[in-house]
Amino acid sequence: MVETDLAPGAAGIACHEKPVKITTMDAQTIKVACSNCNLRELCMPLGLNAEQLDKIDEIVAVRRKVKRGSTLFHNGEKFTSLYAIRTGFFKTCVGTDDGRDQVTGFQMAGEIIGLDGIVHDHHTCDAVALEDAEVCVMPFDRIEELSREVNALQHHVHKIMSREIVREHGVMLLLGSMRAEERLAAFLLNLVQRLHARGFSQSELVLRMTREEIGSYLGLKLETVSRTFSKFADDGIVEVKQRHVRILDTDALRKIVNSPACH
Amino acid sequence: MVETDLAPGAAGIACHEKPVKITTMDAQTIKVACSNCNLRELCMPLGLNAEQLDKIDEIVAVRRKVKRGSTLFHNGEKFTSLYAIRTGFFKTCVGTDDGRDQVTGFQMAGEIIGLDGIVHDHHTCDAVALEDAEVCVMPFDRIEELSREVNALQHHVHKIMSREIVREHGVMLLLGSMRAEERLAAFLLNLVQRLHARGFSQSELVLRMTREEIGSYLGLKLETVSRTFSKFADDGIVEVKQRHVRILDTDALRKIVNSPACH
DNA sequence: CGACACCTTGAAGAGGTTCAAGAAATGTGG
DNA sequence: CCACATTTCTTGAACCTCTTCAAGGTGTCG
């Protein structure tokens, strides 16, 4: 609902396997090679020949580890690269002058972050790791260079950006017209759906973010998020134990999202 | 605040002058040529040489007129082209199964619509003309083809998409964390700012949309929009006569947007 | 000029927020 | 490994903003 399905070969661009340790480099950044990454199907265009794959291999400059709680990039920082998430979980958020901030998305393995930086050559949001993470660093000038040669890559980049635009349309719909229960139901359905596409359970998940972060994303206060979780639990729709959530009745969640605003 | 400044040469791609009438074609679609369009500075990459300009000239297949109230494209329709608005005013909106819909943006001359269609090769929203309009039709495969040859065009396309992503971040912030007065103030400031960049007044504007459409965009009911306009008028911040709005105190509007949630 | 769409305003009501307190989990340092 | 500090989560009660429902006014177009 909120975010589109993860079509195969759709989420990212390139993710690299076979790490090659280079002792003289910063321990945070490790040079890598890529073409047999286990996330490849998640994040590369399909149907490439060997030569094209080799070229795309060259996109990823390095991998970088990001500790839980620290930022991959932050508002105002010079834009140089897009990042493909290999492992871990991120949030992105924008802030106002007066201290408010708004979580604009949660990103997981195989997804791409950093697109916001292209327009002004500087990032306009923060990307914060919600758990220890590792990303593939893809210098954007390399991406542009290569996508002039490999048509499939060019189109893939366009699709990634378009997908993000469509995802945000969904969030606007959620924020603009749904009530608390609908928002949380849509949020949960979206999360399990994306996790399921990565081989995790359809019904069980561990939230990587706090109630406050969920609230920020959904335009609600953390107390409302907590209360809504409790209501879902009372209704037998989910089991909630802190950040562990088990969905008992997926259809009930779907009905909540699609209910024609009954009141 | 909500939408970024209109950097010169940033909004669109190509807009064509010198219409060439072709009598055998649909009256709605007119073949055109382009390079001296008066909107060029708004919507083309800068610093191109003559040869490159000629190439970009070839992007625009036709112009198309869209009558007030009719759609340029609609949800589910096959995606083929991006559209540069030459004249007129559009809204884009997404809908749910259960009949709700959400205005995701208002677009004016020099801006590009249709980016949502790239991911799934079909549009996922409606684009409706709020007044008689004319757009330049730019087949997307031509854009991809040419942007492989003209680096500036390639980067320009990326910037347009990134700009849209950043704009939507702003809307999410608005919907997720602002109260009614803040939302309307931000909306008005954004509109005049964009109109001003097109040579219109900084303080006077004619709303092309209804209260209900404003409300949908801002996540408010039309009554709330109306009441908030009245409150601004009472406070001497604006003069409102139906769709004619005169801003008397821009700073007051700015303060409302940036007020640290005082209550 | 009448029909229709759009806008304004009032009053009552609901959903979500705010404030507050306490419980549960997590992390830290001894 | 345990005790303590800190963060996170839950729940209650009062309050407030925005919505809902309703009526009447204004503008526009055939």
Side-chain angles (χ1 to χ4, degrees):
Chain A
M1 177 94 301
V2 178
E3 298 176 40
T4 59
D5 292 62
L6 183 75
I13 294 182
C15 311
H16 283 220
E17 199 52 51
K18 295 194 221 151
V20 177
K21 286 198 177 130
I22 295 185
T23 50
T24 55
M25 289 187 71
D26 183 346
Q28 288 289 88
T29 57
I30 301 169
K31 176 75 182 126
V32 287
C34 137
S35 28
N36 56 345
C37 172
N38 56 0
L39 285 172
R40 205 181 77 198
E41 279 151 33
L42 271 181
C43 63
M44 267 207 219
L46 298 172
L48 295 181
N49 61 35
E51 186 200 1
Q52 291 171 324
L53 275 174
D54 278 354
K55 282 185 180 168
I56 288 184
D57 255 11
E58 290 163 27
I59 288 180
V60 175
V62 291
R63 268 198 224 155
R64 182 171 146 195
K65 287 183 191 293
V66 186
K67 277 250 163 291
R68 181 180 160 210
S70 63
T71 67
L72 173 58
F73 56 79
H74 55 82
N75 190 348
E77 187 174 322
K78 176 87 173 149
F79 166 76
T80 62
S81 306
L82 299 181
Y83 304 92
I85 302 175
R86 253 192 69 78
T87 62
F89 202 93
F90 285 83
K91 70 169 177 182
T92 47
C93 41
V94 295
T96 56
D97 313 330
D98 55 304
R100 272 180 289 203
D101 78 3
Q102 168 76 25
V103 172
T104 55
F106 297 108
Q107 297 84 16
M108 57 180 75
E111 297 180 333
I112 302 295
I113 42 185
L115 299 170
D116 61 282
I118 299 170
V119 217
H120 298 119
D121 231 58
H122 289 266
H123 287 286
T124 56
C125 67
D126 299 339
V128 181
L130 297 179
E131 57 181 6
D132 290 357
E134 191 173 19
V135 299
C136 299
V137 180
M138 307 180 294
F140 192 63
D141 48 11
R142 303 291 306 279
I143 292 177
E144 289 195 328
E145 204 176 301
L146 265 174
S147 68
R148 274 177 240 134
E149 299 172 26
V150 183
N151 294 10
L153 177 63
Q154 179 192 38
H155 194 59
H156 197 66
V157 171
H158 292 154
K159 281 171 78 167
I160 287 168
M161 301 190 79
S162 176
R163 166 173 299 112
E164 178 64 10
I165 289 168
V166 171
R167 181 191 76 83
E168 292 184 3
H169 284 174
V171 178
M172 287 170 69
L173 178 65
L174 179 146
L175 291 171
S177 76
M178 292 186 180
R179 297 183 295 103
E181 290 183 28
E182 302 174 295
R183 293 183 196 192
L184 191 63
F187 173 72
L188 288 174
L189 288 172
N190 173 260
L191 266 190
V192 285
Q193 179 244 309
R194 283 156 70 202
L195 288 167
H196 186 55
R198 284 157 181 80
F200 294 96
S201 166
Q202 288 197 54
S203 59
E204 236 165 314
L205 67 155
V206 177
L207 300 171
R208 251 69 236 216
M209 68 296 278
T210 67
R211 302 287 189 261
E212 185 167 20
E213 286 161 338
I214 297 172
S216 172
Y217 183 59
L218 299 179
L220 302 169
K221 293 296 160 185
L222 69 96
E223 294 95 329
T224 306
V225 174
S226 181
R227 269 186 255 272
T228 309
F229 267 127
S230 300
K231 169 141 195 328
F232 285 173
D234 289 348
D235 295 351
I237 298 172
V238 299
E239 258 174 38
V240 183
K241 212 194 244 169
Q242 295 292 124
R243 299 197 179 182
H244 294 260
V245 177
R246 162 177 289 156
I247 297 175
L248 303 173
D249 189 346
T250 306
D251 277 345
L253 287 180
R254 291 210 190 94
K255 266 177 224 151
I256 288 170
V257 175
N258 291 325
S259 73
C262 47
H263 49 101
Chain B
M1 175 98 301
V2 178
E3 299 177 37
T4 57
D5 291 64
L6 185 75
I13 295 182
C15 310
H16 284 220
E17 201 50 53
K18 298 191 218 153
V20 177
K21 287 199 178 132
I22 296 185
T23 49
T24 55
M25 290 186 70
D26 182 347
Q28 287 290 88
T29 54
I30 300 168
K31 177 76 183 125
V32 288
C34 137
S35 28
N36 56 344
C37 171
N38 55 2
L39 286 172
R40 206 181 76 197
E41 279 151 33
L42 271 181
C43 65
M44 266 208 220
L46 297 173
L48 296 180
N49 61 35
E51 185 199 2
Q52 292 171 323
L53 274 174
D54 278 353
K55 284 185 180 169
I56 289 184
D57 255 11
E58 290 164 27
I59 288 182
V60 175
V62 292
R63 269 198 224 154
R64 184 172 145 195
K65 287 183 191 294
V66 187
K67 276 252 163 293
R68 179 178 162 211
S70 62
T71 66
L72 174 57
F73 56 80
H74 56 81
N75 190 349
E77 188 173 322
K78 176 87 173 148
F79 166 75
T80 63
S81 306
L82 299 182
Y83 304 93
I85 302 174
R86 254 193 68 78
T87 62
F89 204 92
F90 285 83
K91 68 169 176 181
T92 49
C93 41
V94 295
T96 57
D97 313 331
D98 55 304
R100 270 178 292 203
D101 77 5
Q102 169 77 25
V103 173
T104 55
F106 297 108
Q107 296 83 17
M108 56 182 72
E111 298 179 332
I112 302 295
I113 43 185
L115 300 170
D116 62 282
I118 300 171
V119 215
H120 298 119
D121 231 57
H122 289 265
H123 286 287
T124 56
C125 67
D126 299 338
V128 180
L130 296 180
E131 57 181 8
D132 290 356
E134 191 172 20
V135 300
C136 300
V137 180
M138 308 180 290
F140 192 62
D141 48 11
R142 303 290 306 281
I143 292 177
E144 289 195 328
E145 203 177 304
L146 267 173
S147 68
R148 274 176 240 134
E149 299 171 27
V150 182
N151 294 10
L153 178 62
Q154 178 192 37
H155 194 59
H156 197 66
V157 171
H158 292 154
K159 279 170 79 166
I160 286 167
M161 301 190 79
S162 176
R163 167 175 297 112
E164 178 63 9
I165 289 169
V166 170
R167 182 191 74 84
E168 292 184 3
H169 283 174
V171 179
M172 289 169 68
L173 178 65
L174 179 145
L175 291 171
S177 76
M178 292 186 181
R179 298 184 298 103
E181 290 183 28
E182 301 174 297
R183 294 183 195 191
L184 191 64
F187 173 73
L188 288 174
L189 287 173
N190 175 259
L191 266 189
V192 283
Q193 179 243 309
R194 284 155 70 201
L195 288 167
H196 185 55
R198 285 159 181 77
F200 294 97
S201 167
Q202 288 197 57
S203 59
E204 235 166 316
L205 68 157
V206 178
L207 301 171
R208 251 68 235 215
M209 68 297 279
T210 67
R211 302 288 190 259
E212 185 168 19
E213 286 161 338
I214 297 173
S216 172
Y217 183 59
L218 299 180
L220 302 169
K221 293 295 160 187
L222 69 94
E223 294 94 329
T224 306
V225 174
S226 180
R227 268 185 257 271
T228 308
F229 268 127
S230 300
K231 169 142 196 327
F232 285 174
D234 289 349
D235 295 351
I237 299 172
V238 300
E239 258 174 37
V240 183
K241 214 195 243 170
Q242 296 291 123
R243 300 196 178 181
H244 295 259
V245 177
R246 164 177 288 157
I247 296 175
L248 303 173
D249 189 347
T250 306
D251 277 344
L253 287 180
R254 292 211 188 93
K255 266 177 223 151
I256 288 170
V257 176
N258 292 323
S259 72
C262 47
H263 49 102

